[in-house]
PDB file of all heavy atoms in Angstrom:
ATOM      1  N   LEU A   8     144.409  72.044  65.016  1.00  0.00           N
ATOM      2  CA  LEU A   8     145.163  72.219  66.256  1.00  0.00           C
ATOM      3  C   LEU A   8     145.403  70.836  66.849  1.00  0.00           C
ATOM      4  O   LEU A   8     144.472  70.160  67.276  1.00  0.00           O
ATOM      5  CB  LEU A   8     144.411  73.108  67.251  1.00  0.00           C
ATOM      6  CG  LEU A   8     145.140  73.257  68.600  1.00  0.00           C
ATOM      7  CD1 LEU A   8     146.484  73.975  68.437  1.00  0.00           C
ATOM      8  CD2 LEU A   8     144.278  73.993  69.616  1.00  0.00           C
ATOM      9  N   PHE A  74     148.022  77.540  70.217  1.00  0.00           N
ATOM     10  CA  PHE A  74     147.137  78.307  69.330  1.00  0.00           C
ATOM     11  C   PHE A  74     147.126  79.804  69.638  1.00  0.00           C
ATOM     12  O   PHE A  74     147.037  80.221  70.787  1.00  0.00           O
ATOM     13  CB  PHE A  74     145.712  77.749  69.463  1.00  0.00           C
ATOM     14  CG  PHE A  74     144.759  78.284  68.440  1.00  0.00           C
ATOM     15  CD1 PHE A  74     144.919  77.976  67.093  1.00  0.00           C
ATOM     16  CD2 PHE A  74     143.685  79.088  68.812  1.00  0.00           C
ATOM     17  CE1 PHE A  74     144.020  78.461  66.136  1.00  0.00           C
ATOM     18  CE2 PHE A  74     142.786  79.574  67.866  1.00  0.00           C
ATOM     19  CZ  PHE A  74     142.963  79.262  66.533  1.00  0.00           C
ATOM     20  N   GLN A  76     145.182  82.691  67.301  1.00  0.00           N
ATOM     21  CA  GLN A  76     144.479  82.832  66.029  1.00  0.00           C
ATOM     22  C   GLN A  76     144.955  84.016  65.188  1.00  0.00           C
ATOM     23  O   GLN A  76     145.083  83.907  63.972  1.00  0.00           O
ATOM     24  CB  GLN A  76     142.971  82.925  66.256  1.00  0.00           C
ATOM     25  CG  GLN A  76     142.217  82.865  64.925  1.00  0.00           C
ATOM     26  CD  GLN A  76     140.750  82.533  65.094  1.00  0.00           C
ATOM     27  OE1 GLN A  76     140.208  82.592  66.188  1.00  0.00           O
ATOM     28  NE2 GLN A  76     140.096  82.187  64.015  1.00  0.00           N
ATOM     29  N   TYR A  89     138.740  75.381  60.601  1.00  0.00           N
ATOM     30  CA  TYR A  89     139.520  75.119  61.818  1.00  0.00           C
ATOM     31  C   TYR A  89     138.899  73.943  62.578  1.00  0.00           C
ATOM     32  O   TYR A  89     137.702  73.954  62.845  1.00  0.00           O
ATOM     33  CB  TYR A  89     139.484  76.341  62.743  1.00  0.00           C
ATOM     34  CG  TYR A  89     140.316  77.524  62.288  1.00  0.00           C
ATOM     35  CD1 TYR A  89     139.974  78.250  61.143  1.00  0.00           C
ATOM     36  CD2 TYR A  89     141.432  77.933  63.022  1.00  0.00           C
ATOM     37  CE1 TYR A  89     140.735  79.349  60.733  1.00  0.00           C
ATOM     38  CE2 TYR A  89     142.194  79.035  62.623  1.00  0.00           C
ATOM     39  CZ  TYR A  89     141.842  79.733  61.481  1.00  0.00           C
ATOM     40  OH  TYR A  89     142.596  80.814  61.083  1.00  0.00           O
ATOM     41  N   PHE A  90     139.728  72.976  62.927  1.00  0.00           N
ATOM     42  CA  PHE A  90     139.211  71.911  63.789  1.00  0.00           C
ATOM     43  C   PHE A  90     140.295  71.386  64.711  1.00  0.00           C
ATOM     44  O   PHE A  90     141.484  71.656  64.527  1.00  0.00           O
ATOM     45  CB  PHE A  90     138.568  70.794  62.956  1.00  0.00           C
ATOM     46  CG  PHE A  90     139.530  69.818  62.308  1.00  0.00           C
ATOM     47  CD1 PHE A  90     139.759  68.570  62.874  1.00  0.00           C
ATOM     48  CD2 PHE A  90     140.179  70.129  61.117  1.00  0.00           C
ATOM     49  CE1 PHE A  90     140.637  67.665  62.281  1.00  0.00           C
ATOM     50  CE2 PHE A  90     141.044  69.223  60.515  1.00  0.00           C
ATOM     51  CZ  PHE A  90     141.280  67.984  61.103  1.00  0.00           C
ATOM     52  N   SER A  91     139.883  70.651  65.741  1.00  0.00           N
ATOM     53  CA  SER A  91     140.826  70.049  66.672  1.00  0.00           C
ATOM     54  C   SER A  91     140.205  68.770  67.215  1.00  0.00           C
ATOM     55  O   SER A  91     139.081  68.413  66.858  1.00  0.00           O
ATOM     56  CB  SER A  91     141.157  71.028  67.810  1.00  0.00           C
ATOM     57  OG  SER A  91     142.167  70.475  68.639  1.00  0.00           O
ATOM     58  N   LEU A  93     139.789  66.378  70.936  1.00  0.00           N
ATOM     59  CA  LEU A  93     139.926  66.358  72.392  1.00  0.00           C
ATOM     60  C   LEU A  93     139.875  64.927  72.904  1.00  0.00           C
ATOM     61  O   LEU A  93     139.232  64.070  72.311  1.00  0.00           O
ATOM     62  CB  LEU A  93     138.783  67.137  73.045  1.00  0.00           C
ATOM     63  CG  LEU A  93     138.580  68.587  72.604  1.00  0.00           C
ATOM     64  CD1 LEU A  93     137.347  69.164  73.296  1.00  0.00           C
ATOM     65  CD2 LEU A  93     139.817  69.422  72.933  1.00  0.00           C
ATOM     66  N   ILE A 144     145.138  70.524  77.555  1.00  0.00           N
ATOM     67  CA  ILE A 144     144.222  70.970  76.486  1.00  0.00           C
ATOM     68  C   ILE A 144     144.110  72.493  76.530  1.00  0.00           C
ATOM     69  O   ILE A 144     144.255  73.189  75.522  1.00  0.00           O
ATOM     70  CB  ILE A 144     142.815  70.330  76.649  1.00  0.00           C
ATOM     71  CG1 ILE A 144     142.894  68.803  76.528  1.00  0.00           C
ATOM     72  CG2 ILE A 144     141.827  70.906  75.635  1.00  0.00           C
ATOM     73  CD1 ILE A 144     141.574  68.082  76.863  1.00  0.00           C
ATOM     74  N   THR A 145     143.841  73.014  77.737  1.00  0.00           N
ATOM     75  CA  THR A 145     143.720  74.462  77.948  1.00  0.00           C
ATOM     76  C   THR A 145     144.957  75.176  77.425  1.00  0.00           C
ATOM     77  O   THR A 145     144.865  76.193  76.722  1.00  0.00           O
ATOM     78  CB  THR A 145     143.559  74.741  79.459  1.00  0.00           C
ATOM     79  OG1 THR A 145     142.435  73.981  79.944  1.00  0.00           O
ATOM     80  CG2 THR A 145     143.350  76.207  79.744  1.00  0.00           C
ATOM     81  N   PHE A 146     146.112  74.609  77.736  1.00  0.00           N
ATOM     82  CA  PHE A 146     147.385  75.200  77.318  1.00  0.00           C
ATOM     83  C   PHE A 146     147.512  75.203  75.791  1.00  0.00           C
ATOM     84  O   PHE A 146     147.854  76.209  75.184  1.00  0.00           O
ATOM     85  CB  PHE A 146     148.551  74.427  77.954  1.00  0.00           C
ATOM     86  CG  PHE A 146     149.897  75.008  77.623  1.00  0.00           C
ATOM     87  CD1 PHE A 146     150.447  76.012  78.406  1.00  0.00           C
ATOM     88  CD2 PHE A 146     150.612  74.562  76.516  1.00  0.00           C
ATOM     89  CE1 PHE A 146     151.689  76.564  78.099  1.00  0.00           C
ATOM     90  CE2 PHE A 146     151.857  75.108  76.192  1.00  0.00           C
ATOM     91  CZ  PHE A 146     152.389  76.109  76.988  1.00  0.00           C
ATOM     92  N   ASP A 147     147.240  74.048  75.168  1.00  0.00           N
ATOM     93  CA  ASP A 147     147.389  73.950  73.707  1.00  0.00           C
ATOM     94  C   ASP A 147     146.446  74.909  72.971  1.00  0.00           C
ATOM     95  O   ASP A 147     146.777  75.415  71.901  1.00  0.00           O
ATOM     96  CB  ASP A 147     147.153  72.511  73.229  1.00  0.00           C
ATOM     97  CG  ASP A 147     148.359  71.604  73.506  1.00  0.00           C
ATOM     98  OD1 ASP A 147     149.384  72.125  73.981  1.00  0.00           O
ATOM     99  OD2 ASP A 147     148.272  70.381  73.248  1.00  0.00           O
ATOM    100  N   PHE A 148     145.284  75.172  73.556  1.00  0.00           N
ATOM    101  CA  PHE A 148     144.350  76.125  72.941  1.00  0.00           C
ATOM    102  C   PHE A 148     144.759  77.576  73.195  1.00  0.00           C
ATOM    103  O   PHE A 148     144.091  78.502  72.743  1.00  0.00           O
ATOM    104  CB  PHE A 148     142.918  75.882  73.434  1.00  0.00           C
ATOM    105  CG  PHE A 148     142.190  74.838  72.626  1.00  0.00           C
ATOM    106  CD1 PHE A 148     142.232  73.492  72.978  1.00  0.00           C
ATOM    107  CD2 PHE A 148     141.477  75.192  71.483  1.00  0.00           C
ATOM    108  CE1 PHE A 148     141.586  72.523  72.219  1.00  0.00           C
ATOM    109  CE2 PHE A 148     140.828  74.234  70.713  1.00  0.00           C
ATOM    110  CZ  PHE A 148     140.892  72.888  71.077  1.00  0.00           C
ATOM    111  N   GLY A 149     145.847  77.759  73.930  1.00  0.00           N
ATOM    112  CA  GLY A 149     146.408  79.105  74.079  1.00  0.00           C
ATOM    113  C   GLY A 149     146.079  79.802  75.381  1.00  0.00           C
ATOM    114  O   GLY A 149     146.479  80.946  75.595  1.00  0.00           O
ATOM    115  N   PHE A 150     145.334  79.125  76.277  1.00  0.00           N
ATOM    116  CA  PHE A 150     144.921  79.768  77.530  1.00  0.00           C
ATOM    117  C   PHE A 150     145.890  79.441  78.667  1.00  0.00           C
ATOM    118  O   PHE A 150     146.736  78.565  78.545  1.00  0.00           O
ATOM    119  CB  PHE A 150     143.507  79.322  77.914  1.00  0.00           C
ATOM    120  CG  PHE A 150     142.488  79.578  76.836  1.00  0.00           C
ATOM    121  CD1 PHE A 150     142.018  78.532  76.047  1.00  0.00           C
ATOM    122  CD2 PHE A 150     142.011  80.860  76.592  1.00  0.00           C
ATOM    123  CE1 PHE A 150     141.092  78.765  75.032  1.00  0.00           C
ATOM    124  CE2 PHE A 150     141.079  81.098  75.585  1.00  0.00           C
ATOM    125  CZ  PHE A 150     140.620  80.045  74.805  1.00  0.00           C
ATOM    126  N   VAL A 161     135.428  80.182  82.689  1.00  0.00           N
ATOM    127  CA  VAL A 161     135.202  78.962  81.889  1.00  0.00           C
ATOM    128  C   VAL A 161     134.308  79.300  80.694  1.00  0.00           C
ATOM    129  O   VAL A 161     134.584  78.914  79.555  1.00  0.00           O
ATOM    130  CB  VAL A 161     134.562  77.848  82.758  1.00  0.00           C
ATOM    131  CG1 VAL A 161     134.032  76.711  81.888  1.00  0.00           C
ATOM    132  CG2 VAL A 161     135.588  77.319  83.759  1.00  0.00           C
ATOM    133  N   GLN A 162     133.268  80.067  80.970  1.00  0.00           N
ATOM    134  CA  GLN A 162     132.332  80.466  79.909  1.00  0.00           C
ATOM    135  C   GLN A 162     133.050  81.237  78.792  1.00  0.00           C
ATOM    136  O   GLN A 162     132.862  80.957  77.606  1.00  0.00           O
ATOM    137  CB  GLN A 162     131.224  81.334  80.529  1.00  0.00           C
ATOM    138  CG  GLN A 162     130.056  81.666  79.609  1.00  0.00           C
ATOM    139  CD  GLN A 162     129.378  80.420  79.044  1.00  0.00           C
ATOM    140  OE1 GLN A 162     129.310  79.378  79.697  1.00  0.00           O
ATOM    141  NE2 GLN A 162     128.883  80.504  77.809  1.00  0.00           N
ATOM    142  N   LEU A 163     133.894  82.177  79.176  1.00  0.00           N
ATOM    143  CA  LEU A 163     134.630  82.981  78.185  1.00  0.00           C
ATOM    144  C   LEU A 163     135.560  82.104  77.349  1.00  0.00           C
ATOM    145  O   LEU A 163     135.709  82.282  76.147  1.00  0.00           O
ATOM    146  CB  LEU A 163     135.445  84.074  78.889  1.00  0.00           C
ATOM    147  CG  LEU A 163     134.634  85.246  79.436  1.00  0.00           C
ATOM    148  CD1 LEU A 163     135.500  86.145  80.329  1.00  0.00           C
ATOM    149  CD2 LEU A 163     134.037  86.082  78.294  1.00  0.00           C
ATOM    150  N   MET A 164     136.190  81.131  78.015  1.00  0.00           N
ATOM    151  CA  MET A 164     137.104  80.240  77.328  1.00  0.00           C
ATOM    152  C   MET A 164     136.353  79.382  76.303  1.00  0.00           C
ATOM    153  O   MET A 164     136.775  79.264  75.143  1.00  0.00           O
ATOM    154  CB  MET A 164     137.791  79.357  78.380  1.00  0.00           C
ATOM    155  CG  MET A 164     139.018  78.640  77.903  1.00  0.00           C
ATOM    156  SD  MET A 164     139.936  77.880  79.279  1.00  0.00           S
ATOM    157  CE  MET A 164     138.762  76.655  79.873  1.00  0.00           C
ATOM    158  N   LEU A 165     135.218  78.826  76.718  1.00  0.00           N
ATOM    159  CA  LEU A 165     134.417  78.000  75.806  1.00  0.00           C
ATOM    160  C   LEU A 165     133.913  78.827  74.624  1.00  0.00           C
ATOM    161  O   LEU A 165     133.934  78.369  73.475  1.00  0.00           O
ATOM    162  CB  LEU A 165     133.229  77.371  76.551  1.00  0.00           C
ATOM    163  CG  LEU A 165     133.578  76.377  77.665  1.00  0.00           C
ATOM    164  CD1 LEU A 165     132.313  75.930  78.405  1.00  0.00           C
ATOM    165  CD2 LEU A 165     134.331  75.164  77.121  1.00  0.00           C
ATOM    166  N   GLU A 166     133.497  80.057  74.907  1.00  0.00           N
ATOM    167  CA  GLU A 166     133.003  80.924  73.817  1.00  0.00           C
ATOM    168  C   GLU A 166     134.130  81.261  72.841  1.00  0.00           C
ATOM    169  O   GLU A 166     133.919  81.316  71.634  1.00  0.00           O
ATOM    170  CB  GLU A 166     132.388  82.206  74.395  1.00  0.00           C
ATOM    171  CG  GLU A 166     130.995  81.979  74.970  1.00  0.00           C
ATOM    172  CD  GLU A 166     130.485  83.174  75.780  1.00  0.00           C
ATOM    173  OE1 GLU A 166     131.131  84.254  75.749  1.00  0.00           O
ATOM    174  OE2 GLU A 166     129.444  83.024  76.444  1.00  0.00           O
ATOM    175  N   ALA A 167     135.327  81.482  73.366  1.00  0.00           N
ATOM    176  CA  ALA A 167     136.470  81.805  72.507  1.00  0.00           C
ATOM    177  C   ALA A 167     136.796  80.613  71.594  1.00  0.00           C
ATOM    178  O   ALA A 167     137.069  80.778  70.400  1.00  0.00           O
ATOM    179  CB  ALA A 167     137.683  82.173  73.355  1.00  0.00           C
ATOM    180  N   ILE A 168     136.760  79.395  72.152  1.00  0.00           N
ATOM    181  CA  ILE A 168     137.047  78.200  71.338  1.00  0.00           C
ATOM    182  C   ILE A 168     135.961  78.039  70.268  1.00  0.00           C
ATOM    183  O   ILE A 168     136.261  77.786  69.096  1.00  0.00           O
ATOM    184  CB  ILE A 168     137.145  76.933  72.224  1.00  0.00           C
ATOM    185  CG1 ILE A 168     138.336  77.050  73.180  1.00  0.00           C
ATOM    186  CG2 ILE A 168     137.294  75.674  71.360  1.00  0.00           C
ATOM    187  CD1 ILE A 168     138.419  75.944  74.232  1.00  0.00           C
ATOM    188  N   GLU A 169     134.696  78.225  70.672  1.00  0.00           N
ATOM    189  CA  GLU A 169     133.598  78.083  69.700  1.00  0.00           C
ATOM    190  C   GLU A 169     133.692  79.124  68.583  1.00  0.00           C
ATOM    191  O   GLU A 169     133.362  78.853  67.441  1.00  0.00           O
ATOM    192  CB  GLU A 169     132.243  78.176  70.413  1.00  0.00           C
ATOM    193  CG  GLU A 169     131.947  76.882  71.135  1.00  0.00           C
ATOM    194  CD  GLU A 169     130.555  76.802  71.751  1.00  0.00           C
ATOM    195  OE1 GLU A 169     130.024  77.849  72.163  1.00  0.00           O
ATOM    196  OE2 GLU A 169     130.033  75.682  71.837  1.00  0.00           O
ATOM    197  N   ALA A 170     134.175  80.306  68.926  1.00  0.00           N
ATOM    198  CA  ALA A 170     134.290  81.358  67.916  1.00  0.00           C
ATOM    199  C   ALA A 170     135.408  81.051  66.919  1.00  0.00           C
ATOM    200  O   ALA A 170     135.336  81.456  65.759  1.00  0.00           O
ATOM    201  CB  ALA A 170     134.547  82.703  68.604  1.00  0.00           C
ATOM    202  N   SER A 171     136.445  80.332  67.361  1.00  0.00           N
ATOM    203  CA  SER A 171     137.593  80.074  66.491  1.00  0.00           C
ATOM    204  C   SER A 171     137.484  78.783  65.700  1.00  0.00           C
ATOM    205  O   SER A 171     138.027  78.677  64.604  1.00  0.00           O
ATOM    206  CB  SER A 171     138.881  79.994  67.331  1.00  0.00           C
ATOM    207  OG  SER A 171     139.071  81.167  68.065  1.00  0.00           O
ATOM    208  N   PHE A 172     136.809  77.768  66.263  1.00  0.00           N
ATOM    209  CA  PHE A 172     136.847  76.432  65.665  1.00  0.00           C
ATOM    210  C   PHE A 172     135.504  76.015  65.086  1.00  0.00           C
ATOM    211  O   PHE A 172     134.459  76.219  65.690  1.00  0.00           O
ATOM    212  CB  PHE A 172     137.317  75.398  66.699  1.00  0.00           C
ATOM    213  CG  PHE A 172     138.797  75.506  66.983  1.00  0.00           C
ATOM    214  CD1 PHE A 172     139.268  76.432  67.903  1.00  0.00           C
ATOM    215  CD2 PHE A 172     139.714  74.725  66.303  1.00  0.00           C
ATOM    216  CE1 PHE A 172     140.626  76.573  68.142  1.00  0.00           C
ATOM    217  CE2 PHE A 172     141.072  74.853  66.537  1.00  0.00           C
ATOM    218  CZ  PHE A 172     141.531  75.773  67.454  1.00  0.00           C
ATOM    219  N   ASP A 173     135.577  75.396  63.897  1.00  0.00           N
ATOM    220  CA  ASP A 173     134.362  74.927  63.233  1.00  0.00           C
ATOM    221  C   ASP A 173     133.906  73.573  63.763  1.00  0.00           C
ATOM    222  O   ASP A 173     132.738  73.227  63.672  1.00  0.00           O
ATOM    223  CB  ASP A 173     134.622  74.797  61.720  1.00  0.00           C
ATOM    224  CG  ASP A 173     134.994  76.138  61.109  1.00  0.00           C
ATOM    225  OD1 ASP A 173     134.116  77.009  61.059  1.00  0.00           O
ATOM    226  OD2 ASP A 173     136.173  76.326  60.729  1.00  0.00           O
ATOM    227  N   LEU A 174     134.853  72.785  64.269  1.00  0.00           N
ATOM    228  CA  LEU A 174     134.514  71.431  64.721  1.00  0.00           C
ATOM    229  C   LEU A 174     135.540  70.962  65.735  1.00  0.00           C
ATOM    230  O   LEU A 174     136.741  71.147  65.552  1.00  0.00           O
ATOM    231  CB  LEU A 174     134.505  70.474  63.514  1.00  0.00           C
ATOM    232  CG  LEU A 174     134.243  68.990  63.778  1.00  0.00           C
ATOM    233  CD1 LEU A 174     132.850  68.775  64.365  1.00  0.00           C
ATOM    234  CD2 LEU A 174     134.400  68.162  62.499  1.00  0.00           C
ATOM    235  N   LEU A 175     135.051  70.357  66.829  1.00  0.00           N
ATOM    236  CA  LEU A 175     135.946  69.694  67.775  1.00  0.00           C
ATOM    237  C   LEU A 175     135.586  68.219  67.811  1.00  0.00           C
ATOM    238  O   LEU A 175     134.452  67.852  68.118  1.00  0.00           O
ATOM    239  CB  LEU A 175     135.826  70.320  69.166  1.00  0.00           C
ATOM    240  CG  LEU A 175     136.479  71.699  69.249  1.00  0.00           C
ATOM    241  CD1 LEU A 175     136.174  72.375  70.564  1.00  0.00           C
ATOM    242  CD2 LEU A 175     137.985  71.618  69.074  1.00  0.00           C
ATOM    243  N   LEU A 229     139.992  72.822  84.299  1.00  0.00           N
ATOM    244  CA  LEU A 229     139.717  73.596  83.072  1.00  0.00           C
ATOM    245  C   LEU A 229     139.578  72.657  81.872  1.00  0.00           C
ATOM    246  O   LEU A 229     138.666  72.808  81.054  1.00  0.00           O
ATOM    247  CB  LEU A 229     140.822  74.625  82.827  1.00  0.00           C
ATOM    248  CG  LEU A 229     140.899  75.773  83.845  1.00  0.00           C
ATOM    249  CD1 LEU A 229     142.177  76.584  83.637  1.00  0.00           C
ATOM    250  CD2 LEU A 229     139.678  76.700  83.735  1.00  0.00           C
ATOM    251  N   ASP A 230     140.486  71.678  81.776  1.00  0.00           N
ATOM    252  CA  ASP A 230     140.392  70.685  80.699  1.00  0.00           C
ATOM    253  C   ASP A 230     139.075  69.928  80.771  1.00  0.00           C
ATOM    254  O   ASP A 230     138.442  69.654  79.748  1.00  0.00           O
ATOM    255  CB  ASP A 230     141.548  69.667  80.788  1.00  0.00           C
ATOM    256  CG  ASP A 230     142.820  70.179  80.138  1.00  0.00           C
ATOM    257  OD1 ASP A 230     142.864  71.383  79.803  1.00  0.00           O
ATOM    258  OD2 ASP A 230     143.771  69.385  79.983  1.00  0.00           O
ATOM    259  N   GLU A 232     136.247  70.902  81.990  1.00  0.00           N
ATOM    260  CA  GLU A 232     135.146  71.770  81.538  1.00  0.00           C
ATOM    261  C   GLU A 232     135.103  71.843  80.010  1.00  0.00           C
ATOM    262  O   GLU A 232     134.034  71.779  79.394  1.00  0.00           O
ATOM    263  CB  GLU A 232     135.301  73.185  82.126  1.00  0.00           C
ATOM    264  CG  GLU A 232     135.178  73.266  83.647  1.00  0.00           C
ATOM    265  CD  GLU A 232     133.752  73.081  84.151  1.00  0.00           C
ATOM    266  OE1 GLU A 232     132.808  73.131  83.337  1.00  0.00           O
ATOM    267  OE2 GLU A 232     133.585  72.874  85.373  1.00  0.00           O
ATOM    268  N   ILE A 233     136.277  71.972  79.383  1.00  0.00           N
ATOM    269  CA  ILE A 233     136.326  72.037  77.917  1.00  0.00           C
ATOM    270  C   ILE A 233     135.825  70.715  77.328  1.00  0.00           C
ATOM    271  O   ILE A 233     134.990  70.683  76.421  1.00  0.00           O
ATOM    272  CB  ILE A 233     137.771  72.312  77.423  1.00  0.00           C
ATOM    273  CG1 ILE A 233     138.212  73.729  77.815  1.00  0.00           C
ATOM    274  CG2 ILE A 233     137.872  72.139  75.898  1.00  0.00           C
ATOM    275  CD1 ILE A 233     139.679  74.039  77.490  1.00  0.00           C
ATOM    276  N   TYR A 234     136.337  69.617  77.876  1.00  0.00           N
ATOM    277  CA  TYR A 234     136.009  68.300  77.317  1.00  0.00           C
ATOM    278  C   TYR A 234     134.513  67.981  77.446  1.00  0.00           C
ATOM    279  O   TYR A 234     133.876  67.558  76.488  1.00  0.00           O
ATOM    280  CB  TYR A 234     136.844  67.211  78.005  1.00  0.00           C
ATOM    281  CG  TYR A 234     136.501  65.821  77.521  1.00  0.00           C
ATOM    282  CD1 TYR A 234     136.987  65.359  76.294  1.00  0.00           C
ATOM    283  CD2 TYR A 234     135.683  64.968  78.268  1.00  0.00           C
ATOM    284  CE1 TYR A 234     136.668  64.088  75.827  1.00  0.00           C
ATOM    285  CE2 TYR A 234     135.361  63.705  77.811  1.00  0.00           C
ATOM    286  CZ  TYR A 234     135.851  63.267  76.593  1.00  0.00           C
ATOM    287  OH  TYR A 234     135.528  62.009  76.134  1.00  0.00           O
ATOM    288  N   HIS A 236     132.003  69.956  77.820  1.00  0.00           N
ATOM    289  CA  HIS A 236     131.188  70.851  76.986  1.00  0.00           C
ATOM    290  C   HIS A 236     131.198  70.381  75.526  1.00  0.00           C
ATOM    291  O   HIS A 236     130.153  70.250  74.891  1.00  0.00           O
ATOM    292  CB  HIS A 236     131.707  72.287  77.079  1.00  0.00           C
ATOM    293  CG  HIS A 236     131.014  73.237  76.147  1.00  0.00           C
ATOM    294  ND1 HIS A 236     129.786  73.811  76.454  1.00  0.00           N
ATOM    295  CD2 HIS A 236     131.332  73.683  74.901  1.00  0.00           C
ATOM    296  CE1 HIS A 236     129.398  74.575  75.434  1.00  0.00           C
ATOM    297  NE2 HIS A 236     130.325  74.519  74.483  1.00  0.00           N
ATOM    298  N   PHE A 237     132.394  70.123  74.994  1.00  0.00           N
ATOM    299  CA  PHE A 237     132.481  69.789  73.564  1.00  0.00           C
ATOM    300  C   PHE A 237     132.127  68.333  73.271  1.00  0.00           C
ATOM    301  O   PHE A 237     131.791  67.995  72.136  1.00  0.00           O
ATOM    302  CB  PHE A 237     133.845  70.189  72.994  1.00  0.00           C
ATOM    303  CG  PHE A 237     133.967  71.683  72.852  1.00  0.00           C
ATOM    304  CD1 PHE A 237     134.758  72.420  73.715  1.00  0.00           C
ATOM    305  CD2 PHE A 237     133.244  72.359  71.873  1.00  0.00           C
ATOM    306  CE1 PHE A 237     134.836  73.809  73.605  1.00  0.00           C
ATOM    307  CE2 PHE A 237     133.314  73.738  71.748  1.00  0.00           C
ATOM    308  CZ  PHE A 237     134.118  74.462  72.621  1.00  0.00           C
ATOM    309  N   THR A 240     128.381  68.943  72.763  1.00  0.00           N
ATOM    310  CA  THR A 240     128.023  69.586  71.488  1.00  0.00           C
ATOM    311  C   THR A 240     128.352  68.674  70.291  1.00  0.00           C
ATOM    312  O   THR A 240     127.726  68.779  69.242  1.00  0.00           O
ATOM    313  CB  THR A 240     128.733  70.953  71.305  1.00  0.00           C
ATOM    314  OG1 THR A 240     130.150  70.760  71.350  1.00  0.00           O
ATOM    315  CG2 THR A 240     128.315  71.942  72.387  1.00  0.00           C
TER     316      THR A 240
END
Side-chain angles (χ1 to χ4, degrees):
L8 177 64
F74 190 66
Q76 188 163 14
Y89 287 67
F90 79 101
S91 185
L93 305 176
I144 298 172
T145 305
F146 183 88
D147 283 355
F148 274 90
F150 304 104
V161 167
Q162 189 57 33
L163 286 170
M164 196 169 65
L165 296 175
E166 283 169 10
I168 296 172
E169 283 187 328
S171 303
F172 287 84
D173 299 292
L174 177 63
L175 287 172
L229 292 170
D230 277 11
E232 295 287 347
I233 292 174
Y234 177 78
H236 174 82
F237 287 107
T240 59

